[in-house]
Amino acid sequence: MAKPIEIAQVTYAVPDLGLMETFMTDFGLTCVSKNDDVLYMRGSGEQHHIHVTHREEKQRFIGASIEVSSREDLEQLAEMDGSSAVQETGEPGGGYQVVMTMPDGFEIKAIWGREKLSETTERKAFHFNNADSKPRLNECIRVKRKPCQAIKLGHFVLHVSNHDASVKWLEERFDLLHSDYFVPPGEEGPVVGTFLRFNHGAEKVDHHAILILQSDWVGVHHCSFEVIDLDAVMTAHDYLVEKGYQLECGVGRHMLGSQIFDYWKDPFGFRVEHYTDGDMLDQHAQPVKFNGTATETTQWGMAPGLEFFQ
């Protein structure tokens, strides 16, 4: 199976690219390339682009791209049933890809060899003076309400018609580990949600890169972008409020993964998240089952409504 390195991009289709560009710019991304038919937005990290939008009459989530470690990974994936041959991506930044389709029709691309860009993150994370440790000395924090920089695409979440089949499909193609599980409230099973992380052995990785959720409705739940620290989350939150965008849930701290989160809706109703301070795991971390309600997934802050995971 292929070794995944990073979630490279999510891809959508909407009828108005200008409207999407304005929102994603306010959300902290930067246009790296565009034409009348497609918009490519980057973060401040090395990925050439992390959010792609095609112009189509009907809005939809198309899929996601996962960077793998080698050309050999692509060749191995190309041999599996339903996979394309290894081909050029045809996107800015170049590289090669194998195109696959999940059971519910989501397009998953494995990519390799795409051009990397120079990091453009404006500042380092502020040191936090807590009761036990006070590393910030003779330095003041002065921040403005403005778009925060989205550094990288951290994860995406899918609603699927068959949880087990979707998890199996991903595991057959990519080297993944289970981080945590959702089970129905008050019960011990069956598993209806699985957080999946990349298996990098003893190296630390994000709590999850993908979350698969059993649902009567098939589609994307959200995509999520990491920002530098809590001040970035909060100043961006205030800026987006001032701009009149639709807040869905935030700011708060998740139970599973521990991320400080802030969820918004883009102009087309797609859910997007800023996050910081998530859990980091290695190969030894073991999954646990969570059988609480949607509102109980928040440790503090603005809890999501009952419909959040429906």
Side-chain angles (χ1 to χ4, degrees):
M1 65 185 68
K3 180 179 179 181
I5 301 301
E6 191 170 44
I7 301 295
Q9 72 187 56
V10 284
T11 305
Y12 295 80
V14 304
D16 189 332
L17 296 185
L19 195 59
M20 181 65 91
E21 181 182 1
T22 297
F23 173 80
M24 295 309 299
T25 300
D26 286 338
F27 204 72
L29 281 72
T30 303
C31 178
V32 69
S33 179
K34 65 179 178 179
N35 56 43
D36 290 341
D37 296 315
V38 62
L39 169 69
Y40 299 90
M41 305 289 291
R42 68 164 294 188
S44 64
E46 292 183 339
Q47 282 292 348
H48 189 277
H49 50 271
I50 58 177
H51 189 282
V52 179
T53 312
H54 292 266
R55 184 172 61 83
E56 295 181 7
E57 184 176 340
K58 185 177 180 180
Q59 64 194 49
R60 64 189 179 102
F61 173 74
I62 296 175
S65 300
I66 300 173
E67 182 183 1
V68 297
S69 63
S70 67
R71 172 73 182 242
E72 288 72 26
D73 282 343
L74 292 184
E75 293 170 351
Q76 183 184 68
L77 289 169
E79 295 176 356
M80 302 190 70
D81 289 343
S83 295
S84 75
V86 178
Q87 57 191 224
E88 293 184 358
T89 67
E91 294 187 344
Y96 298 88
Q97 67 183 16
V98 170
V99 183
M100 302 162 283
T101 305
M102 289 184 65
D104 284 308
F106 302 118
E107 183 181 82
I108 300 295
K109 295 180 179 180
I111 70 167
W112 172 82
R114 187 163 77 182
E115 175 191 357
K116 299 291 187 179
L117 300 180
S118 298
E119 290 192 13
T120 60
T121 308
E122 294 174 347
R123 65 174 177 85
K124 295 181 179 180
F126 293 126
H127 293 298
F128 193 88
N129 287 343
N130 59 52
D132 294 328
S133 175
K134 301 185 186 297
R136 195 175 72 253
L137 176 64
N138 298 327
E139 296 178 7
C140 300
I141 293 177
R142 299 290 184 269
V143 294
K144 296 181 179 180
R145 297 179 182 181
K146 65 176 185 175
C148 67
Q149 288 184 299
I151 299 171
K152 71 170 188 176
L153 175 62
H155 60 264
F156 63 94
V157 178
L158 299 177
H159 284 282
V160 300
S161 61
N162 188 319
H163 165 274
D164 293 351
S166 294
V167 171
K168 180 181 178 182
W169 188 94
L170 289 164
E171 290 180 319
E172 288 173 344
R173 289 159 177 79
F174 301 102
D175 190 5
L176 302 168
L177 296 173
H178 295 191
S179 296
D180 287 308
Y181 303 117
F182 281 122
V183 296
E187 302 178 21
E188 290 302 313
V191 172
V192 295
T194 298
F195 291 87
L196 296 165
R197 70 183 187 275
F198 296 155
N199 183 8
H200 288 186
E203 181 182 344
K204 294 185 292 185
V205 299
D206 292 330
H207 174 269
H208 61 283
I210 306 169
L211 169 58
I212 300 296
L213 291 170
Q214 179 72 42
S215 178
D216 295 331
W217 175 82
V218 171
V220 66
H221 183 271
H222 73 272
C223 65
S224 184
F225 301 94
E226 184 173 22
V227 302
I228 194 70
D229 58 16
L230 177 59
D231 286 280
V233 172
M234 297 304 298
T235 52
H237 176 97
D238 289 347
Y239 176 80
L240 292 168
V241 167
E242 290 176 350
K243 295 289 286 188
Y245 291 116
Q246 182 182 351
L247 172 68
E248 184 181 36
C249 178
V251 173
R253 186 184 284 278
H254 282 310
M255 179 69 69
L256 301 177
S258 303
Q259 298 93 342
I260 295 174
F261 65 82
D262 198 27
Y263 288 95
W264 295 81
K265 292 287 188 71
D266 73 19
F268 306 95
F270 294 112
R271 185 183 289 110
V272 290
E273 178 191 19
H274 285 144
Y275 79 92
T276 192
D277 194 31
D279 292 337
M280 302 297 291
L281 309 179
D282 64 14
Q283 62 188 339
H284 300 296
Q286 295 299 308
V288 300
K289 292 181 178 179
F290 177 82
N291 62 3
T293 64
T295 56
E296 292 173 322
T297 61
T298 298
Q299 298 188 65
W300 54 255
M302 184 180 178
L306 294 176
E307 74 284 353
F308 188 72
F309 288 117
Q310 295 176 355

